[in-house]
Amino acid sequence: MLEECRERICRELDKTVDFWLKYSHDTVHGGFFTCIGRDGKVFDELKYVWLQGRQVWMYCRLYRTMDRFHKPEILEAAKAGGTFLRKFARIMGSGGQWKCAFCLTREGKAVKIQRTIFSECFYVMAMDELSRATGDTDMQLEAEQMMEQLIYWVQVDSSGLGRPHLPGDVPTNSMAVPMMLLCLVQQITEGRGQKVAEKYRDLGNWCVQQILQHVQRDGTAVLENVSFDGTELQGCQGRLQNPGHALEAGWFLLQYSTQWGDKELQKTAISKFVEVPYQSGWDKEHGGLFYFLDVDGNCPTQLEWSMKLWWPHCEALVAFLMAYQQTKKPELLDMFSQVYEYTFNHFPDAENGEWFGYLTQEGKVALDFKGGPFKGFFHVPRCLYMCERILDDLLSNKA
Amino acid sequence: MLEECRERICRELDKTVDFWLKYSHDTVHGGFFTCIGRDGKVFDELKYVWLQGRQVWMYCRLYRTMDRFHKPEILEAAKAGGTFLRKFARIMGSGGQWKCAFCLTREGKAVKIQRTIFSECFYVMAMDELSRATGDTDMQLEAEQMMEQLIYWVQVDSSGLGRPHLPGDVPTNSMAVPMMLLCLVQQITEGRGQKVAEKYRDLGNWCVQQILQHVQRDGTAVLENVSFDGTELQGCQGRLQNPGHALEAGWFLLQYSTQWGDKELQKTAISKFVEVPYQSGWDKEHGGLFYFLDVDGNCPTQLEWSMKLWWPHCEALVAFLMAYQQTKKPELLDMFSQVYEYTFNHFPDAENGEWFGYLTQEGKVALDFKGGPFKGFFHVPRCLYMCERILDDLLSNKA
């Protein structure tokens, strides 16, 4: 079965890379189109910065670490994306600190800035990975400088993000923030030696602690938003669960536990961030993972709560397979198989390649584009890439 | 058939008023709970300001204009809501101008401010209507002062709203803004004599012109966002259609055309803002009005585009019935009947009263709460109230 999975995953990865190489490059203004229809047609010329950064990162990662993608056209595409990002994405924010735009026109003019850290995070990922692919140390420096800015916003003073502090606005540890920073810590330190790893060790541990605070209700639930001292918040915000996000945190924690040989963390990651979100998040009636749930069983207020999105399924595949790789527990492989069946039966578009992103609760395609404001060349290829590598490892050790 | 409709509508209005009187009042801190579950249970104590203002307005309107609601408990509820709003909703914005919060804690502390004008608009509606119900001229003055602030933001300088101007951010005539202002013009001037009507005449005409600019594609489509000189904008934003919103604009325009005896405007309102959105927005497969559409037939990027929401159906009922009242064209009554059938078969909750707000494309209840961040005591009762009055008129003229 694993052999067959590996074949399918490998084929899907090739098709996905082909799709984006073929349809997303803007050879006139640089950068990548990110709104791409079912058949490859660009339906909006806006360039979303999260997705620019992620695409640069993904191309470089494939180029650097997989022989069959070590091709000049992939490196060139990544470099063109990086040039566009460096030229246009960074702008001076209202607080006098560098920010990255959220969205640019085709020509690179800023359309929107978010008052969060995520555009900047994907900028760091892109620059760090591009510096590795090209050997350009300026880019590495830029990644590190932006990383310092991010740490300042998260740990010292967030006022530069531009969000006013309001008396009723309870400070919130939102899972996305420590997850994203942990991802960046792993990105920046990977293979750069003990000294760099030690430099970011405290930050990594802080991220892990912040993530672990989201385990609530005697360990039976992962909540998306908690207080900074790890207690539950009131209302919908406090009861919100995002199973796909918890599963993504799960494999981030598994990677970190491996890096530092932390067996306790590995155990927690699997039981709380892999098994628990699957138990609570899997739709027993129609299959697939819910997007949002309320831990008390109220109806979430997000209109899309019951939809099945591609990315939670991507994260689940990586989480289950990595957890199985590390433990060889057969029930984790069973979970992987279940998600694999659902995912490959519902998301890939056999006709035009790439995956649909948004299904109804019942599994019907609800939005048929391949790229949109939040879907780009990232979750699908990252999942396929991670799974292919883990499967290679599992299959070669077995042989 | 109209007699039967009137009965049903009258009954639904009573049930809806009962529901909110029973479940939404916060007798401890004042104001209204707005997040109310299927069975009436408050599932979040946050108080959304749009909905506070709308509820005050709706109570006062019913109290003032319908005998059976001219009861002390309804006036008291409205006054309690008004007191809460005046005490807590207005806060000093970053630009040194008064803003209204978007969301408050149960106790009235500001949680979130939007960088738009809508909280302030509903504040004006509430204060003006409350001043009419109570005779309190301070409130009327407050409404007028906030109205001046709104006009300044919309027509002179929007920087006080706090949104940075970015070079790629194309100035957009979003239909919501002139619609909302036209609604306020009608609110503020109603029954206040010729002098007040004349004072706001230019603004009213400006709103109408701004709304009419949304008719595009040789009159075959109403687009939600256009440029300020009335040309189509690029991309998804420019192609967006919101049929329920166009229908709501339709009956606002019909009211305005009646007030000023403008037959040309009446004709345009019916053909472009009532018939066109119905043609493009009605789901011929499953019934009901789509939430969003793309005029070129691309898939919208809003995840909820194909869902059936309660409020477009409310607006459609008012628009069709008012258009029929003014013209007696049978095809408009047919459209009303079709929407009436769909609406009354899908939205009301026979078990607990009030209406569900959010259905899947196929018509299944997708979110089962009665009140949430954007659903309160407003669209359902306003629709029932308007329809009951129009039906009374139609039935009495017939008799």
Side-chain angles (χ1 to χ4, degrees):
Chain A
M1 177 252 179
L2 291 186
E3 190 70 65
E4 203 184 297
C5 278
R6 194 201 159 281
E7 280 310 302
R8 177 79 201 263
I9 281 170
C10 177
R11 236 174 22 243
E12 283 292 329
L13 182 55
D14 290 350
K15 282 170 71 175
T16 301
V17 172
D18 287 348
F19 186 94
W20 290 88
L21 283 175
K22 187 167 171 190
Y23 297 118
S24 72
H25 296 185
D26 182 355
T27 51
V28 178
H29 294 277
F32 310 116
F33 293 116
T34 46
C35 292
I36 298 181
R38 172 181 198 134
D39 58 359
K41 199 188 82 179
V42 174
F43 64 87
D44 196 317
E45 293 181 346
L46 290 176
K47 290 172 177 166
Y48 288 89
V49 169
W50 290 21
L51 306 182
Q52 304 289 317
R54 287 165 159 183
Q55 189 157 349
V56 169
W57 178 84
M58 192 73 239
Y59 277 147
C60 291
R61 180 56 68 116
L62 291 172
Y63 176 83
R64 275 210 306 126
T65 62
M66 280 191 147
D67 284 347
R68 73 180 188 279
F69 297 112
H70 195 79
K71 296 188 293 190
E73 65 189 290
I74 290 186
L75 182 60
E76 285 314 309
K79 281 162 70 176
T83 303
F84 186 83
L85 266 181
R86 293 177 86 184
K87 199 162 166 190
F88 299 116
R90 278 188 312 173
I91 45 183
M92 192 53 73
S94 54
Q97 294 164 345
W98 284 105
K99 279 282 296 168
C100 285
F102 174 68
C103 183
L104 303 169
T105 62
R106 182 173 178 190
E107 300 78 20
K109 286 189 272 185
V111 176
K112 198 179 162 187
I113 307 180
Q114 285 187 319
R115 298 177 292 181
T116 60
I117 61 166
F118 304 109
S119 290
E120 294 76 10
C121 290
F122 294 114
Y123 189 87
V124 171
M125 271 177 83
M127 288 304 137
D128 183 81
E129 191 65 32
L130 194 55
S131 79
R132 293 165 186 264
T134 60
D136 185 325
T137 51
D138 278 0
M139 290 182 194
Q140 193 187 337
L141 189 65
E142 243 179 63
E144 283 167 16
Q145 285 171 341
M146 189 63 91
M147 184 72 179
E148 293 307 312
Q149 175 73 81
L150 283 167
I151 296 168
Y152 180 81
W153 283 330
V154 172
Q155 294 196 323
V156 184
D157 179 8
S158 66
S159 62
L161 295 172
R163 196 172 283 278
H165 180 70
L166 297 170
D169 188 12
V170 183
T172 299
N173 169 2
S174 148
M175 198 147 79
V177 172
M179 272 175 71
M180 196 68 233
L181 280 189
L182 184 62
C183 176
L184 292 181
V185 165
Q186 296 189 269
Q187 174 67 37
I188 283 184
T189 59
E190 190 199 322
R192 289 232 156 94
Q194 201 56 27
K195 211 172 136 196
V196 176
E198 286 299 338
K199 178 182 168 190
Y200 287 101
R201 183 79 205 264
D202 283 350
L203 179 61
N205 287 342
W206 179 84
C207 291
V208 169
Q209 290 318 308
Q210 292 284 305
I211 293 171
L212 294 179
Q213 286 191 343
H214 292 261
V215 180
Q216 294 287 328
R217 308 259 173 140
D218 296 323
T220 61
V222 178
L223 302 181
E224 191 66 11
N225 303 296
V226 294
S227 78
F228 279 108
D229 49 6
T231 56
E232 209 175 309
L233 295 171
Q234 276 202 318
C236 293
Q237 188 200 16
R239 296 190 305 266
L240 188 68
Q241 295 175 290
N242 181 333
H245 216 196
L247 285 157
E248 185 179 10
W251 71 261
F252 287 5
L253 292 174
L254 280 178
Q255 280 196 320
Y256 195 77
S257 71
T258 306
Q259 187 191 342
W260 296 98
D262 186 339
K263 282 281 168 195
E264 198 53 44
L265 181 60
Q266 184 197 51
K267 234 179 87 187
T268 305
I270 293 176
S271 63
K272 302 307 173 196
F273 289 86
V274 178
E275 291 171 347
V276 163
Y278 170 78
Q279 300 302 338
S280 55
W282 188 257
D283 180 350
K284 282 150 197 88
E285 193 181 352
H286 301 283
L289 291 160
F290 286 109
Y291 190 15
F292 292 113
L293 291 166
D294 175 297
V295 69
D296 284 340
N298 296 296
C299 178
T301 55
Q302 289 83 357
L303 271 54
E304 65 275 26
W305 74 271
S306 63
M307 290 176 76
K308 310 292 164 64
L309 271 64
W310 86 106
W311 71 260
H313 296 81
C314 291
E315 302 310 323
L317 289 172
V318 177
F320 293 134
L321 200 58
M322 194 183 282
Y324 174 69
Q325 178 191 31
Q326 296 192 5
T327 62
K328 302 292 185 311
K329 278 194 195 172
E331 58 270 31
L332 290 166
L333 192 59
D334 292 342
M335 293 179 198
F336 173 78
S337 299
Q338 191 180 13
V339 179
Y340 177 88
E341 284 302 318
Y342 183 88
T343 302
F344 283 82
N345 283 333
H346 287 84
F347 289 106
D349 176 8
E351 196 182 334
N352 300 288
E354 242 280 342
W355 293 15
F356 299 115
Y358 304 89
L359 313 178
T360 65
Q361 182 178 1
E362 292 77 15
K364 189 186 81 170
V365 175
L367 293 92
D368 71 0
F369 51 74
K370 302 297 170 50
F374 295 95
K375 181 173 188 290
F377 183 64
F378 186 61
H379 287 98
V380 174
R382 183 175 74 169
C383 160
L384 297 168
Y385 160 81
M386 296 288 297
C387 287
E388 184 179 325
R389 287 168 62 103
I390 298 171
L391 286 167
D392 279 346
D393 176 67
L394 287 169
L395 289 163
S396 70
N397 286 340
K398 210 176 178 182
Chain B
M1 177 253 176
L2 292 185
E3 190 69 67
E4 203 184 298
C5 278
R6 194 201 159 282
E7 279 309 302
R8 178 78 201 264
I9 281 171
C10 178
R11 241 177 17 248
E12 282 292 330
L13 180 54
D14 289 349
K15 282 168 72 175
T16 301
V17 172
D18 287 347
F19 186 94
W20 290 89
L21 283 175
K22 185 166 173 191
Y23 298 118
S24 72
H25 296 184
D26 183 354
T27 51
V28 178
H29 294 277
F32 310 116
F33 294 117
T34 47
C35 292
I36 299 181
R38 171 180 200 134
D39 58 358
K41 198 187 83 178
V42 174
F43 64 86
D44 195 316
E45 294 181 347
L46 289 177
K47 290 173 178 165
Y48 288 89
V49 170
W50 292 19
L51 307 182
Q52 304 289 317
R54 286 165 159 185
Q55 190 158 351
V56 169
W57 177 85
M58 193 72 238
Y59 277 147
C60 292
R61 181 55 67 117
L62 291 171
Y63 176 82
R64 276 211 305 128
T65 63
M66 281 191 146
D67 285 347
R68 72 181 190 279
F69 297 113
H70 195 79
K71 297 187 292 189
E73 65 189 289
I74 289 188
L75 183 61
E76 285 313 310
K79 282 161 71 176
T83 303
F84 187 82
L85 265 181
R86 295 176 86 184
K87 198 160 168 192
F88 299 116
R90 279 190 311 174
I91 44 182
M92 194 50 78
S94 54
Q97 293 163 345
W98 285 106
K99 279 282 296 166
C100 284
F102 174 69
C103 182
L104 303 168
T105 63
R106 182 175 179 188
E107 299 78 19
K109 286 190 270 185
V111 175
K112 198 178 161 187
I113 307 180
Q114 284 187 320
R115 298 177 293 181
T116 60
I117 62 166
F118 303 109
S119 290
E120 293 76 10
C121 289
F122 295 114
Y123 189 86
V124 171
M125 272 177 83
M127 287 304 137
D128 183 79
E129 192 63 34
L130 194 53
S131 78
R132 293 166 186 265
T134 59
D136 186 325
T137 52
D138 278 1
M139 288 183 196
Q140 194 189 336
L141 189 67
E142 242 180 61
E144 283 167 16
Q145 286 171 342
M146 189 63 93
M147 184 72 179
E148 293 307 312
Q149 174 73 80
L150 283 168
I151 296 168
Y152 181 80
W153 284 331
V154 171
Q155 294 196 323
V156 184
D157 179 8
S158 66
S159 63
L161 294 172
R163 195 172 284 279
H165 180 71
L166 298 170
D169 189 9
V170 183
T172 299
N173 169 2
S174 149
M175 197 146 79
V177 172
M179 273 176 69
M180 197 66 234
L181 280 190
L182 183 62
C183 176
L184 292 181
V185 166
Q186 297 190 265
Q187 174 68 37
I188 284 184
T189 59
E190 191 199 323
R192 290 234 156 93
Q194 201 55 28
K195 211 173 135 196
V196 176
E198 287 300 338
K199 178 182 167 189
Y200 288 100
R201 183 79 204 264
D202 284 351
L203 179 61
N205 288 341
W206 179 84
C207 292
V208 170
Q209 291 317 310
Q210 292 285 306
I211 293 171
L212 294 180
Q213 287 191 344
H214 292 261
V215 181
Q216 295 287 328
R217 309 258 173 140
D218 295 322
T220 62
V222 178
L223 302 182
E224 191 67 10
N225 303 296
V226 294
S227 78
F228 278 109
D229 49 7
T231 57
E232 209 175 308
L233 295 170
Q234 276 202 319
C236 293
Q237 189 200 14
R239 295 189 307 266
L240 188 68
Q241 295 175 291
N242 181 333
H245 216 197
L247 285 157
E248 186 179 11
W251 71 260
F252 287 5
L253 293 175
L254 280 178
Q255 281 196 318
Y256 195 77
S257 70
T258 305
Q259 187 191 341
W260 295 98
D262 186 339
K263 281 282 167 193
E264 198 52 44
L265 181 59
Q266 184 198 51
K267 233 180 86 186
T268 306
I270 292 176
S271 63
K272 303 308 175 197
F273 288 86
V274 178
E275 291 171 349
V276 162
Y278 171 79
Q279 300 302 339
S280 56
W282 187 258
D283 180 350
K284 282 150 197 89
E285 193 181 351
H286 301 284
L289 290 160
F290 286 109
Y291 191 14
F292 293 114
L293 290 167
D294 176 296
V295 69
D296 284 340
N298 296 296
C299 177
T301 55
Q302 288 84 358
L303 271 55
E304 65 275 26
W305 75 271
S306 63
M307 290 176 75
K308 309 292 164 62
L309 270 64
W310 86 107
W311 71 261
H313 296 81
C314 291
E315 302 311 323
L317 289 172
V318 178
F320 294 133
L321 201 57
M322 194 183 284
Y324 173 69
Q325 179 191 30
Q326 298 193 2
T327 63
K328 301 292 187 310
K329 277 195 198 170
E331 58 268 35
L332 290 165
L333 192 60
D334 292 344
M335 293 178 196
F336 173 78
S337 298
Q338 191 180 16
V339 179
Y340 178 88
E341 284 302 317
Y342 183 89
T343 302
F344 283 81
N345 283 331
H346 286 85
F347 290 106
D349 176 8
E351 196 181 335
N352 300 289
E354 243 278 347
W355 292 16
F356 299 116
Y358 305 89
L359 314 178
T360 64
Q361 181 178 1
E362 292 78 14
K364 189 185 82 172
V365 175
L367 293 92
D368 72 0
F369 50 75
K370 304 295 170 54
F374 295 94
K375 183 174 188 290
F377 183 64
F378 186 61
H379 287 98
V380 174
R382 183 175 72 167
C383 160
L384 297 168
Y385 160 80
M386 296 289 296
C387 288
E388 185 179 324
R389 285 167 63 103
I390 298 172
L391 286 167
D392 279 347
D393 177 64
L394 287 169
L395 289 164
S396 68
N397 285 340
K398 213 176 177 179

